[in-house]
Amino acid sequence: MQKQVNEMNYEEKEELLKQIIQDLKETLSENRYLHCISTMKKARQMAQKYNQDEQIVMLTAVAHDIAKEMSNEEMIKYAGENNIKLDEVDKMATMVLHGKIGADMVAKKYGFTKEMQDAIYYHSTGRVNMTMLDKIVFLADKSENRRQGKDADKLRNIIEKEGIDEAILWDIDYYTIPRTIEKKKVIHIESINARNDITMKLKMEV
Ligand SMILES: [Fe+2]
Ligand SMILES: [Fe+2]
């Protein structure tokens, strides 16, 4: 049985991090592997800034795309064999599906906790009541330094100058949803739920 992350001491978590990095290096393309490392580094900076457990944040962030290079058929097959419930939108929203599959894999393979699994599960869409870990993984993925272009620059700027909730809202409204529409793909309901939730909370703060 895989030991649970919340039962591991500092050194065991360091070992696990090394093991995950090695596994990703062996299984992902170089580009995706480098994206995972860069996401981990960005997430670590955010963990320091927002006083979060660095090890938990780094473990979760580095593993967020563990299932990203599986084909749609492979993911649907994995879901069937591992009792993961998928609706029709899930099956069509490839962008989202790898989070759901990845969340299951990290629990079985590495003993990730429910909180860590959730951050991977929702890393592309967000959700209602996002935890700090959810927010860091969501934003580190989209703002890591290897991401180039004006959208990534804009997102990094909003994270820096306005805040993380504002940045998530901007990403969903001006990046994720418009891009999904452009590609004529389905918009996942969790993206809408996340943006409505954050919009209401930001309005209440004013
Ligand atoms: Fe992803
Ligand atoms: Fe990613």
Side-chain angles (χ1 to χ4, degrees), residues 32 35-36 39 64-65 68 98 123 141-142 147:
R32 182 89 49 206
H35 161 68
C36 291
T39 300
H64 79 284
D65 271 345
K68 179 79 179 179
H98 73 281
H123 81 264
D141 176 29
K142 295 165 177 72
R147 292 213 191 253

Side-chain angles (χ1 to χ4, degrees), residues 123-157:
H123 81 264
S124 310
T125 55
R127 60 165 163 167
V128 171
N129 288 328
M130 287 174 82
T131 64
M132 202 56 193
L133 183 62
D134 291 350
K135 292 177 184 181
I136 290 177
V137 174
F138 181 102
L139 286 176
D141 176 29
K142 295 165 177 72
S143 69
E144 52 98 348
N145 292 347
R146 284 172 54 84
R147 292 213 191 253
Q148 299 293 321
K150 66 174 177 28
D151 289 323
D153 288 340
K154 172 91 179 164
L155 186 62
R156 285 188 279 265
N157 203 281

